[in-house]
Amino acid sequence: MIRGAACFRKLFQSSAVSSKVAARCYTAQAAVQPAIYSSDEESADIDWDNLGFQLMQTDYMYMTKCSDDGIFRKGQLNRYGNINLSPSAGVLNYGQGLFEGTKAYRRDDGRVFLFRPEQNAIRMQIGAERMCMPSPTTDQFVDAVKQTALANKRWIPPSGKGSLYIRPLLIGSGPILGLAPAPEYTFLVYACPVGNYFKQGTAPLNLYVEEDVHRASRGGAGGVKSITNYAPVLKAMKNAKANGYSDVLYLDAVNKKYIEEVSSCNIFLVKGNVLSTPIAKGTILEGITRKSIMDIAHDLGYTVEERLIEADELISADEVFCTGTAVGVAPVGSITYKGQRIEYKISSDLSCKQFYSRLVGIQRGVIKDERDWIVEIE
């Protein structure tokens, strides 16, 4: 059984927009001439075998705006490029902005799919409420993601070579001088083909536990995907990478002994047949990959716990791994805590590899999608 307070699930269930999307196969209605779409026979001139995770300019982006009424108008696709912002835009002066991350995958038969995009939409809506922003409806969000994927279809890697990373942005674009919500908001979606997030590819991660710098605090915005959560961790990341680590694992800001998450991904511990992850109480972003892995582990017979996890428990864990849209499922080879390097055995029968294999199997259509996670793009 799944223990603990599954806050993410409760938030979704309580949201007015959390009802299931009626049809799992949407048809995007682009507000541009059909000629913008690339032919299925065309393909971007890319070395698909050596994709990393870096910005690569694609063809089109989606944009729409709303003003005082809080209703986003029908958007349109434009050529990818710079946008105009007032120097006094709310996002530039007060950090009023959110972003999401999802992916489009190409299967062996050439068809293209999204993975749980409505969950990203709902998470953006929850974040928008926290940041005093209007947000697009679930249907608007999913349609915008689909339009962006279709318009950049030639940039979607072949099956097994990577994915098209799609980044929706919601920003306070209207000008404001005093501290207050912006008078206008822009919803924008762009995309980029990606491979492995970390430079070491699929090699195990080496993490460093940061004891002085904290990613989030109680009552803050750590539980939503606010743009303000990321710049503050750059210094800790830079220092860790300069010392040979892959990334940083942060502790809670109050007791300074409970693990929370890595800079851009969630963390799990495995001990025997028990899968544990830090409980989300407003300081941890409840990742969609995190939620999916918990469901998969439960299906495979694991006991799944969401709870407070002391950093000292890292010493006795059988394995540790990270999850996220960008990182996928990444095994951890070592964690350095209080000067002690804790090493974990890496093998082909790791639990995280079983979870990831099942996740990828569902995304590629090899394993039956029993939860309606997959949305086909037409």
Side-chain angles (χ1 to χ4, degrees):
M1 61 180 294
I2 298 179
R3 304 174 185 167
C7 304
F8 192 55
R9 186 175 301 106
K10 290 181 180 178
L11 279 171
F12 278 10
Q13 290 173 344
S14 65
S15 173
V17 294
S18 61
S19 59
K20 279 193 174 182
V21 181
R24 304 300 302 171
C25 185
Y26 304 86
T27 300
Q29 301 296 323
V32 292
Q33 295 300 317
I36 70 132
Y37 293 117
S38 301
S39 167
D40 289 343
E41 283 71 38
E42 291 183 1
S43 179
D45 185 16
I46 296 174
D47 181 0
W48 299 117
D49 293 319
N50 291 291
L51 271 181
F53 198 95
Q54 57 188 358
L55 184 63
M56 188 179 300
Q57 181 173 323
T58 52
D59 297 325
Y60 296 94
M61 63 184 187
Y62 174 98
M63 186 182 298
T64 182
K65 294 179 182 289
C66 86
S67 51
D68 293 341
D69 61 5
I71 299 174
F72 282 89
R73 312 305 177 200
K74 185 175 182 180
Q76 67 177 22
L77 291 163
N78 302 306
R79 282 285 182 180
Y80 180 93
N82 296 337
I83 62 174
N84 292 320
L85 276 180
S86 166
S88 58
V91 66
L92 297 181
N93 290 263
Y94 300 116
Q96 197 182 22
L98 297 161
F99 75 90
E100 276 297 328
T102 187
K103 289 179 175 178
Y105 303 87
R106 191 186 297 273
R107 290 186 177 174
D108 290 338
D109 60 6
R111 292 187 297 162
V112 177
F113 295 82
L114 299 171
F115 183 71
R116 309 188 74 177
E118 73 280 0
Q119 300 293 304
N120 295 92
I122 295 170
R123 188 169 67 178
M124 176 170 276
Q125 291 156 11
I126 293 170
E129 182 180 6
R130 174 65 179 84
M131 304 292 286
C132 282
M133 307 169 71
S135 59
T137 67
T138 301
D139 285 343
Q140 284 177 321
F141 182 102
V142 173
D143 187 64
V145 168
K146 285 182 55 109
Q147 288 191 42
T148 306
L150 279 174
N152 295 293
K153 189 174 181 180
R154 72 190 187 98
W155 298 90
I156 303 177
S159 178
K161 300 290 186 179
S163 59
L164 185 72
Y165 182 81
I166 303 171
R167 174 159 289 181
L169 290 167
L170 179 61
I171 61 173
S173 52
I176 191 80
L177 183 60
L179 180 57
E184 179 191 81
Y185 296 87
T186 296
F187 176 57
L188 183 152
V189 186
Y190 69 93
C192 175
V194 297
N196 292 312
Y197 180 78
F198 292 101
K199 288 185 178 180
Q200 61 266 47
T202 57
L205 306 180
N206 299 305
L207 303 180
Y208 175 80
V209 178
E210 176 59 61
E211 299 179 69
D212 298 319
V213 176
H214 299 284
R215 177 190 170 275
S217 59
R218 292 182 185 176
V224 299
K225 210 165 177 63
S226 167
I227 62 174
T228 57
N229 292 336
Y230 294 87
V233 306
L234 294 178
K235 184 174 182 180
M237 286 178 60
K238 182 179 178 181
N239 291 340
K241 290 184 178 183
N243 287 293
Y245 299 103
S246 308
D247 211 330
V248 177
L249 173 59
Y250 299 91
L251 301 178
D252 75 289
V254 177
N255 301 288
K256 300 184 179 182
K257 67 176 183 179
Y258 299 109
I259 64 172
E260 293 209 322
E261 65 176 287
V262 181
S263 301
S264 59
C265 48
N266 297 120
I267 191 163
F268 286 86
L269 279 67
V270 179
K271 181 70 175 178
N273 201 47
V274 179
L275 177 68
S276 303
T277 192
I279 188 170
K281 297 196 300 182
T283 57
I284 296 172
L285 184 70
E286 297 180 75
I288 293 158
T289 307
R290 170 186 182 269
K291 185 172 183 285
S292 303
I293 291 298
M294 291 167 64
D295 287 339
I296 288 172
H298 182 261
D299 291 345
L300 293 176
Y302 285 77
T303 297
V304 181
E305 299 179 335
E306 293 179 88
R307 62 179 177 85
L308 294 174
I309 301 175
E310 293 193 20
D312 288 338
E313 294 185 51
L314 295 168
I315 299 172
S316 59
D318 294 334
E319 67 178 277
V320 178
F321 64 92
C322 297
T323 65
T325 297
V327 306
V329 177
V332 173
S334 74
I335 297 179
T336 299
Y337 176 50
K338 292 187 179 296
Q340 177 184 356
R341 184 182 174 93
I342 308 161
E343 297 192 352
Y344 303 99
K345 183 180 179 181
I346 301 298
S347 65
S348 59
D349 60 352
L350 290 176
S351 297
C352 70
K353 294 193 174 182
Q354 297 177 42
F355 304 151
Y356 185 56
S357 176
R358 192 173 185 88
L359 177 66
V360 172
I362 294 171
Q363 291 170 341
R364 294 181 180 174
V366 177
I367 297 175
K368 185 178 179 181
D369 173 23
E370 297 181 344
R371 288 189 170 89
D372 290 338
W373 283 351
I374 304 302
V375 175
E376 182 175 1
I377 304 175
E378 286 188 337

